[in-house]
């Protein structure tokens, strides 16, 4: 009886029986949903009882969960050599008793991406994340991929990008992930990336502008612009312009721009209150790395707000986010003093899973260089 009670089966009246035309299914991470074949709709609540459920425990011995080409979850029984769309754990579902909504926020600063995505099935959704081979970008890419999305890791270095892809595949060998070259310090590379993506004829539902450099010494990109400004803001700005048509066609779609709280500590206007363009890409004499970073993050927010104003009526939203203060990623790598500060702050700040940080030594040898990187090696640019 205890087992039946656990499975929610002790009540034998017909409350749990599905009306005709309904079928019970499960998502990859075990949430039960209901499909109505006549009305061609799905819902989380049981059509009679209104209860939400999830399956309890893992699959029985010999069973494996797979996803077909339409993103539909199915189950393989290796012992009896058969496949079925019916989750064998459906006999053992437990009621999902969500905590009654209160005025408190459901998520807080310590919530992880996996927690926020829990219960979501992102099959059929396509996401691009810039700078996804490490840190916040990698964690985001992994979380989206583990929930079924097709994720493109847009990285300046294919070796590091492919390494990140492998790390995600190690977690789930069916994850749909690929790395593509994108060097935001080169407008030509941004253009090539957009063309390569468009040639795949895929939709684009999520574009996360995450890549950034911080505290970098002054240097010019191949486009003769200060590198922090171009990598953190202008490269992303251009990327979004080039992909805007795909985003619109894929609506509802969203752009997320990873900014920072530090945008507050700067200004991009001159004394008369006008936008001062010389502050955006300053000369070496007028350059201060922290200010350049803060300005680029302010540009991120201004861009995201304006993008949202223009595209939201077309089903494409844009939001700028602050991920947390001094999270230990690779961001501090440009100067040992920053590394020291980030290390000291580490016990008190949000954590990133350790596998998100790639050893920097791999960056140096045996990798294909973009024109910008080649120029950098020859000392022409940064
Ligand atoms: N960590 C924090 O405390 C913090 C706080 C506030 C905001 N943020 C923001 O969070 C975002 C992610 O930072 P993170 O902490 O995860 O740092 P991270 O680990 O250093 O990640 C930055 C990513 O950007 C990539 N990148 C750098 N230059 C690029 C270029 N020219 N083209 C393409 N990709 C490039 C890096 O690739 P490589 O590995 O090849 O260099 C790396 O994958 C950034 O926008 C940052 O401003 C972070």
């Amino acid at each position: 009886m205890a087992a039946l009670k656990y499975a929610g089966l002790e009540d034998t009246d017909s409350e749990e029986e599905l009306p005709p035309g309904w079928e019970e299914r499960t998502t990859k991470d075990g949430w039960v949903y209901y499909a109505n074949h006549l009305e061609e709709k799905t819902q989380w609540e049981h059509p009679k009882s209104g209860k939400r459920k999830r399956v309890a425990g893992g699959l029985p011995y010999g069973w494996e969960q797979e996803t077909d080409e339409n993103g539909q979850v199915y189950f393989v029984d290796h012992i009896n050599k058969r496949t079925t769309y019916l989750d064998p754990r459906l006999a053992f579902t437990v009621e999902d008793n969500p905590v009654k909504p209160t005025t408190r926020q459901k998520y807080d600063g310590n919530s992880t991406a996996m927690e926020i995505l829990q219960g979501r099935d992102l099959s059929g959704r396509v996401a691009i994340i810039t700078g996804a081979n490490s840190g916040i970008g990698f964690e985001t890419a992994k979380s989206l991929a583990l929930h079924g999305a097709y994720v493109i890791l847009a990285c300046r270095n294919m070796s590091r990008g492919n390494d990140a892809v492998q790390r995600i595949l190690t977690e789930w060998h069916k994850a749909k992930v690929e790395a593509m070259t994108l060097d935001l310090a080169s407008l030509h590379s941004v253009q090539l990336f957009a063309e390569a993506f468009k040639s795949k004829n895929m939709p684009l539902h999520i574009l996360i502008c995450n890549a950034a450099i911080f505290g970098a010494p002054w240097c010019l990109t191949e486009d003769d612009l200060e590198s922090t400004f171009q990598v953190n803001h202008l490269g992303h700005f251009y990327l979004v312009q080039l992909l805007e048509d795909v985003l619109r066609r894929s609506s509802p779609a969203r752009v997320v721009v990873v900014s920072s709280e530090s945008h507050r500590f700067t200004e991009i206007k001159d004394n008369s209150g006008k936008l001062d363009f010389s502050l955006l890409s300053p000369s070496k004499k007028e350059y201060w790395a922290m200010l350049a970073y803060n300005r680029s993050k302010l540009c991120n927010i201004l861009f995201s707000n304006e993008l949202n104003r223009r595209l939201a009526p077309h089903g494409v939203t844009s939001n700028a986010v602050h991920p947390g203060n001094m999270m230990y990623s690779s961001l501090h790598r440009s100067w040992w003093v920053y590394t020291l500060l980030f290390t000291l702050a580490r016990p008190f700040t949000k954590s990133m899973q350790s596998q998100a940080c790639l050893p920097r030594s791999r960056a140096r040898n045996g990798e294909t260089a973009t024109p910008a990187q080649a120029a950098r090696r020859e000392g022409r640019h940064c």
Side-chain angles (χ1 to χ4, degrees), residues 138-160:
F138 175 75
E139 288 301 323
T140 310
K142 186 177 76 176
S143 307
L144 293 176
L146 295 185
H147 284 80
Y150 189 108
V151 182
I152 292 174
L153 289 78
C155 306
R156 64 173 158 175
N157 180 295
M158 276 309 270
S159 168
R160 288 199 284 269

Side-chain angles (χ1 to χ4, degrees), residues 357-379:
C357 304
L358 200 67
R360 303 257 53 95
S361 54
R362 293 193 200 167
R364 289 185 196 118
N365 300 312
E367 294 162 351
T368 338
T370 64
Q373 287 164 335
R376 233 169 277 151
R377 281 179 198 162
E378 288 160 26

Side-chain angles (χ1 to χ4, degrees), residues 130-137 154-157 160 182-186 209-213 231-232 258-261 293 297 300 321-333 342 352 356 358 360 376:
T130 68
N133 56 278
S134 68
I136 295 162
C155 306
R156 64 173 158 175
N157 180 295
R160 288 199 284 269
L182 169 71
D183 183 355
L184 292 155
S186 156
C209 300
N210 161 79
I213 50 175
V231 171
N232 296 8
V258 185
S259 178
S260 170
E261 192 65 40
Y293 177 79
K297 293 288 137 185
N300 284 161
V321 299
H322 166 61
N325 286 319
M326 296 184 81
M327 292 159 67
Y328 198 88
S329 61
S330 315
L331 202 62
H332 51 78
R333 76 186 94 143
F342 272 70
M352 194 113 49
L358 200 67
R360 303 257 53 95
R376 233 169 277 151

Side-chain angles (χ1 to χ4, degrees), residues 70-145:
N70 300 319
Q72 171 96 46
V73 175
Y74 67 96
F75 300 88
V76 184
D77 175 358
H78 290 290
I79 294 170
N80 296 306
K81 308 235 171 318
R82 64 192 179 110
T83 59
T84 169
Y85 281 99
L86 212 60
D87 189 325
R89 296 165 296 177
L90 275 172
F92 300 99
T93 53
V94 288
E95 206 176 312
D96 174 36
N97 277 326
V99 182
K100 289 220 165 52
T102 63
T103 46
R104 278 191 57 213
Q105 248 184 307
K106 195 172 172 194
Y107 305 113
D108 61 22
N110 293 318
S111 303
T112 63
M114 289 298 276
E115 281 165 5
I116 288 171
L117 288 174
Q118 192 189 8
R120 307 269 167 124
D121 183 0
L122 299 178
S123 304
R125 315 293 284 170
V126 178
I128 294 177
I129 304 168
T130 68
N133 56 278
S134 68
I136 295 162
F138 175 75
E139 288 301 323
T140 310
K142 186 177 76 176
S143 307
L144 293 176

Side-chain angles (χ1 to χ4, degrees), residues 141-192:
K142 186 177 76 176
S143 307
L144 293 176
L146 295 185
H147 284 80
Y150 189 108
V151 182
I152 292 174
L153 289 78
C155 306
R156 64 173 158 175
N157 180 295
M158 276 309 270
S159 168
R160 288 199 284 269
N162 286 328
D163 198 348
V165 164
Q166 284 312 317
R167 281 183 282 148
I168 295 173
L169 290 174
T170 311
E171 296 226 2
W172 186 36
H173 71 293
K174 291 282 170 67
K176 299 186 198 79
V177 276
E178 72 168 301
M180 286 178 68
T181 307
L182 169 71
D183 183 355
L184 292 155
S186 156
L187 294 179
H188 182 58
S189 169
V190 177
Q191 197 183 344
L192 290 181

Side-chain angles (χ1 to χ4, degrees), residues 36-342:
N36 185 321
H37 296 297
L38 304 174
E39 294 175 31
E40 292 186 352
K41 66 170 190 176
T42 57
Q43 61 186 49
W44 294 110
E45 296 81 20
H46 188 287
K48 264 185 169 176
S49 66
K51 289 175 186 166
R52 286 176 178 230
K53 288 177 166 191
R54 57 187 169 81
V55 292
L59 286 167
Y61 176 73
W63 285 77
E64 203 184 358
Q65 184 175 289
E66 304 275 351
T67 311
D68 68 16
E69 62 280 2
N70 300 319
Q72 171 96 46
V73 175
Y74 67 96
F75 300 88
V76 184
D77 175 358
H78 290 290
I79 294 170
N80 296 306
K81 308 235 171 318
R82 64 192 179 110
T83 59
T84 169
Y85 281 99
L86 212 60
D87 189 325
R89 296 165 296 177
L90 275 172
F92 300 99
T93 53
V94 288
E95 206 176 312
D96 174 36
N97 277 326
V99 182
K100 289 220 165 52
T102 63
T103 46
R104 278 191 57 213
Q105 248 184 307
K106 195 172 172 194
Y107 305 113
D108 61 22
N110 293 318
S111 303
T112 63
M114 289 298 276
E115 281 165 5
I116 288 171
L117 288 174
Q118 192 189 8
R120 307 269 167 124
D121 183 0
L122 299 178
S123 304
R125 315 293 284 170
V126 178
I128 294 177
I129 304 168
T130 68
N133 56 278
S134 68
I136 295 162
F138 175 75
E139 288 301 323
T140 310
K142 186 177 76 176
S143 307
L144 293 176
L146 295 185
H147 284 80
Y150 189 108
V151 182
I152 292 174
L153 289 78
C155 306
R156 64 173 158 175
N157 180 295
M158 276 309 270
S159 168
R160 288 199 284 269
N162 286 328
D163 198 348
V165 164
Q166 284 312 317
R167 281 183 282 148
I168 295 173
L169 290 174
T170 311
E171 296 226 2
W172 186 36
H173 71 293
K174 291 282 170 67
K176 299 186 198 79
V177 276
E178 72 168 301
M180 286 178 68
T181 307
L182 169 71
D183 183 355
L184 292 155
S186 156
L187 294 179
H188 182 58
S189 169
V190 177
Q191 197 183 344
L192 290 181
F193 172 85
E195 282 166 12
F197 175 73
K198 285 181 172 182
S199 71
K200 291 174 183 288
N201 286 321
M202 283 180 142
L204 177 58
H205 305 102
I206 304 166
L207 172 55
I208 302 182
C209 300
N210 161 79
I213 50 175
F214 164 82
W218 183 88
C219 60
L220 291 179
T221 65
E222 65 180 27
D223 303 296
D224 282 332
L225 291 162
E226 188 281 310
S227 63
T228 308
F229 168 67
Q230 178 161 345
V231 171
N232 296 8
H233 167 63
L234 196 73
H236 284 126
F237 174 89
Y238 189 38
L239 179 67
V240 174
Q241 306 309 308
L242 294 173
L243 297 179
E244 185 184 318
D245 52 344
V246 194
L247 285 162
R248 282 184 187 228
R249 278 200 302 278
S250 315
S251 79
R254 66 176 66 187
V255 177
V256 177
V257 185
V258 185
S259 178
S260 170
E261 192 65 40
S262 63
H263 76 277
R264 295 183 194 283
F265 311 113
T266 186
E267 193 45 271
I268 53 171
K269 289 179 183 159
D270 62 18
N271 293 338
S272 65
K274 282 199 183 133
L275 183 64
D276 186 346
F277 284 102
S278 67
L279 291 176
L280 298 181
S281 178
S283 65
K284 188 171 186 178
K285 216 170 66 186
E286 277 146 7
Y287 180 76
W288 186 30
M290 278 301 290
L291 261 187
Y293 177 79
N294 295 352
R295 271 184 201 127
S296 72
K297 293 288 137 185
L298 177 58
C299 290
N300 284 161
I301 293 180
L302 297 174
F303 166 54
S304 174
N305 286 351
E306 181 59 16
L307 188 70
N308 189 63
R309 195 184 67 77
R310 292 186 190 198
L311 294 194
H314 304 281
V316 183
T317 57
S318 178
N319 286 286
V321 299
H322 166 61
N325 286 319
M326 296 184 81
M327 292 159 67
Y328 198 88
S329 61
S330 315
L331 202 62
H332 51 78
R333 76 186 94 143
S334 62
W335 192 24
W336 66 268
V337 176
Y338 296 135
T339 305
L340 180 67
L341 287 174
F342 272 70

